[in-house]
Amino acid sequence: MPAASPQPRRPRSGSRRDETARLAVLHAADDLLAEHGFGALTVEAIARRAGVAKQTIYRWWPSKVEILLDTLIEDSDKHLPVPTEKPTAESIRGYLRGFERFLTSNPAGKVLLALIAEAQHDPDTAKSFHKRYLGPRREQEREMFARGTDAGEVSPRIGPDATIDALIGPIVYCALTGSSIPSGLVDTLVEDLLRPRSN
Amino acid sequence: MPAASPQPRRPRSGSRRDETARLAVLHAADDLLAEHGFGALTVEAIARRAGVAKQTIYRWWPSKVEILLDTLIEDSDKHLPVPTEKPTAESIRGYLRGFERFLTSNPAGKVLLALIAEAQHDPDTAKSFHKRYLGPRREQEREMFARGTDAGEVSPRIGPDATIDALIGPIVYCALTGSSIPSGLVDTLVEDLLRPRSN
Amino acid sequence: MPAASPQPRRPRSGSRRDETARLAVLHAADDLLAEHGFGALTVEAIARRAGVAKQTIYRWWPSKVEILLDTLIEDSDKHLPVPTEKPTAESIRGYLRGFERFLTSNPAGKVLLALIAEAQHDPDTAKSFHKRYLGPRREQEREMFARGTDAGEVSPRIGPDATIDALIGPIVYCALTGSSIPSGLVDTLVEDLLRPRSN
Amino acid sequence: MPAASPQPRRPRSGSRRDETARLAVLHAADDLLAEHGFGALTVEAIARRAGVAKQTIYRWWPSKVEILLDTLIEDSDKHLPVPTEKPTAESIRGYLRGFERFLTSNPAGKVLLALIAEAQHDPDTAKSFHKRYLGPRREQEREMFARGTDAGEVSPRIGPDATIDALIGPIVYCALTGSSIPSGLVDTLVEDLLRPRSN
DNA sequence: GGTTAAGCGAGACGGTACGTCAAGTCTTCCC
DNA sequence: GGGAAGACTTGACGTACCGTCTCGCTTAACC
């Protein structure tokens, strides 16, 4: 899952990439972020913690941000899949609840917040973050809404992107400001935005 | 306005603080953030740009974050006052529109985004950011809503904090992800959340 | 004595250079060379041994070679002055004996050998070594011979540079190859080259 | 001509050593030294230039110094043989002239200088350099002088080693310092040291 | 009106981490 | 089994900022 080589190259000879080292780096980065915050997340610390040489990290990842992106994508796909089959208002609400839990309770949620943050500081991070995470995920979410709309399950009052921003935005914002997501917020938004007003 | 001295000290003798230097630092920080991003915002660069000794910065600000907070608070009060007089649904919508413009068009908006970001990386920043900016502003916003509710102008369907998060969240989220705020989003949210459903 | 500033700059303000640090670096370099050889002479090791930050070394010396040059020049001037007053064949022989002892017994002699060696590997070293050490010293030696010749004390059979090379060369060569200087070598050369053949 | 195997070994089975690779490495090392100096002479560069795997180099040579020694010994035997037959003062002078030319004009001369230099930096190099080059050559030179003395061709005023050092030393010293060998130096030394004074 | 304490520009200092490079070892595959 | 390819650990490189410190000058209140 190196950032630089979507399809891992197949050298005719020579050693293959050490999968143990790859996982050690990913977990070390994850753990350090969770334990000591992004400030302590230096490449040298990751290398130390992973029991890996610094050079091994630089060989495979252009920056620590790409390491975090790798872990985020793996964890995100695993713990927070976008519901694709028969999406109902209910399953969408479930997805948002899952997102809420992912951000507040899962260590991997911290990774997402850290990447949103780092994207503000560094244009390269922003670019890569969009290309590898935000873009693909938004695409899946758009599809989810499209299917739900086609099936008549939901009738969004505004465009799909606007709807997603309106639903996701408050959750992310609360997580970023460290405040708990007010109960009822998600339910109310789902109800208001996905169902046509009856009047 | 220094973060470190709530009650400005009164030396018995000696020079008073150099206002020119203070403003030079504030503007240098602002300019550097706008021009080269948070990554280039080092204390040494600020000092260089401001034509000021590094020590002068450390004498008055405990960190570069506090410099940004100072500029943010000044700009925020100046360009984005919370409407306190007779708040109507219309004036609230105007406030949100102003917020949208502040984040996307005003250089000072970058400062807010940078601080939200940095708060993810550093707990001290988070603390100070809440205490000096988010907290007071949220308090004013709560009052605004309370007055509007008392006057019967608005009838929020959910609690004041939840309402604010639901309105502010998407705007901030779009700004953070660099996407433009979908037209209609603010209007729809204001309509849905501040007016009771007629059914 | 910093290599970079022949006439030490006099900043109008700011701290002056820390003489303690300067000496610590010089001695650390000297000691490391003597103890572990040029191979162990890294900037990081010098900094460690001197109890000094690496940047402090880079601030004042462009490379570790210049550090060695500084120590060599100081030690050389101190322990191996070129005899300037009334040079006789005897005093010249004494100078060569002193040179022999300097190269074989004095730790500073190792510095000279190391610089001769490093000059073979790196053109910049060669340049600096000639400009700061070999050139000036050769100039002094030429003057010494000229005075001796004028006073009729010595009558070199070949030109001054050739004479010096013929006298110094074997001593340096023996030191470089680690062999002891054969007894009688210096005496014979002085006798042969500085006195006219009587036939 | 690897350091470890004077006579190419005859393995009972398996491939023999690739002579092409051996020569490619030797020439690559030689060329790189001549073109870019000792500083650019890394094992990786040699491997790259020779079109050979790094491991192939490490399999046959313990260090890059041994590579250089191999080339030096070959070139030295080829271009600068010690005159063994009927050595006269004249043939010895010719040998010294040849040595002078070897050092200043022949690319292989750079190898000798580089090895003398590297021997100052690293004890292992010094040891190997003496054992494989300096020692054997000195032995041949001693024999040359002994034959000449026995035949009455030359009458050294000082011991053989001292004489050789006195003759070789200045030439090497001038080459090391990059200065041209003064004309007349060699002639005068040969005349003075190899012929008895007539008085 | 001289004293004196603070502010200030300048910059040296001990540090930490950066991202790069080469060294030397080890592993895998191909011939 | 030799050799090409190349991943791995190690450690030094030279740079950028960090936050602290000391220096000598300027400035303004106080006596």
Side-chain angles (χ1 to χ4, degrees), chain D residues 31-32 50 59 71 79 83 88 102 116 131 145 157 180 185 196:
Chain D
D31 293 353
L32 283 175
R59 184 164 13 244
T71 74
H79 297 112
T88 63
F102 183 73
I116 291 176
K131 185 169 177 180
F145 274 96
R157 303 188 57 214
S180 59
L185 205 169

Side-chain angles (χ1 to χ4, degrees), chain A residues 70-146:
Chain A
D70 280 1
T71 74
L72 175 62
I73 290 169
E74 282 198 0
D75 285 347
S76 208
D77 286 351
K78 194 165 149 196
H79 296 115
L80 194 65
V82 179
T84 47
E85 308 272 341
K86 50 176 170 154
T88 62
E90 189 52 34
S91 73
I92 290 174
R93 227 193 56 192
Y95 174 63
L96 294 172
R97 289 281 189 210
F99 191 72
E100 187 183 327
R101 241 177 298 115
F102 182 72
L103 273 189
T104 53
S105 312
N106 196 317
K110 297 279 173 205
V111 177
L112 176 52
L113 295 180
L115 284 172
I116 292 176
E118 193 57 16
Q120 310 306 308
H121 290 349
D122 171 40
D124 289 346
T125 296
K127 213 168 171 180
S128 194
F129 181 48
H130 272 84
K131 185 170 178 179
R132 303 225 290 131
Y133 185 78
L134 282 186
R137 187 149 273 262
R138 174 59 59 107
E139 194 48 51
Q140 289 182 286
E141 291 165 344
R142 266 198 287 258
E143 266 183 53
M144 172 181 77
F145 273 97

Side-chain angles (χ1 to χ4, degrees), chain B residues 84-167:
Chain B
T84 47
E85 306 273 340
K86 48 178 171 153
T88 62
E90 189 53 35
S91 72
I92 289 174
R93 227 193 55 192
Y95 174 64
L96 293 172
R97 289 281 189 210
F99 191 71
E100 188 184 325
R101 240 177 299 114
F102 182 73
L103 272 189
T104 53
S105 312
N106 196 317
K110 297 279 174 206
V111 178
L112 176 52
L113 295 179
L115 285 172
I116 292 176
E118 191 57 16
Q120 310 306 310
H121 290 348
D122 172 37
D124 289 347
T125 296
K127 213 168 172 180
S128 195
F129 181 49
H130 271 84
K131 185 169 177 180
R132 304 226 289 132
Y133 185 79
L134 282 186
R137 187 150 273 262
R138 175 58 59 107
E139 193 49 49
Q140 289 182 287
E141 290 165 346
R142 266 198 286 257
E143 263 182 55
M144 173 181 74
F145 274 97
R147 274 176 228 238
T149 310
D150 287 354
E153 284 287 340
V154 298
S155 312
R157 303 189 55 215
I158 46 182
D161 274 323
T163 305
I164 300 170
D165 288 333
L167 293 169

Side-chain angles (χ1 to χ4, degrees), chain D residues 122-186:
Chain D
D122 172 38
D124 289 347
T125 296
K127 213 167 170 180
S128 193
F129 181 49
H130 272 83
K131 185 169 177 180
R132 303 225 291 132
Y133 184 79
L134 282 186
R137 188 150 272 262
R138 175 59 59 106
E139 195 48 51
Q140 290 181 284
E141 290 164 345
R142 265 198 287 255
E143 266 181 53
M144 173 181 74
F145 274 96
R147 275 177 227 237
T149 309
D150 288 352
E153 284 285 341
V154 297
S155 314
R157 303 188 57 214
I158 47 181
D161 274 324
T163 305
I164 301 169
D165 287 334
L167 292 169
I168 294 284
I171 298 173
V172 171
Y173 181 70
C174 286
L176 287 169
T177 57
S179 53
S180 59
I181 287 101
S183 69
L185 205 169
V186 171

Side-chain angles (χ1 to χ4, degrees), chain A residues 159-192:
Chain A
D161 274 324
T163 306
I164 300 170
D165 287 334
L167 292 170
I168 294 283
I171 299 174
V172 171
Y173 182 69
C174 286
L176 286 169
T177 56
S179 53
S180 60
I181 288 101
S183 69
L185 204 169
V186 170
D187 290 344
T188 304
L189 285 174
V190 167
E191 194 178 328
D192 281 7

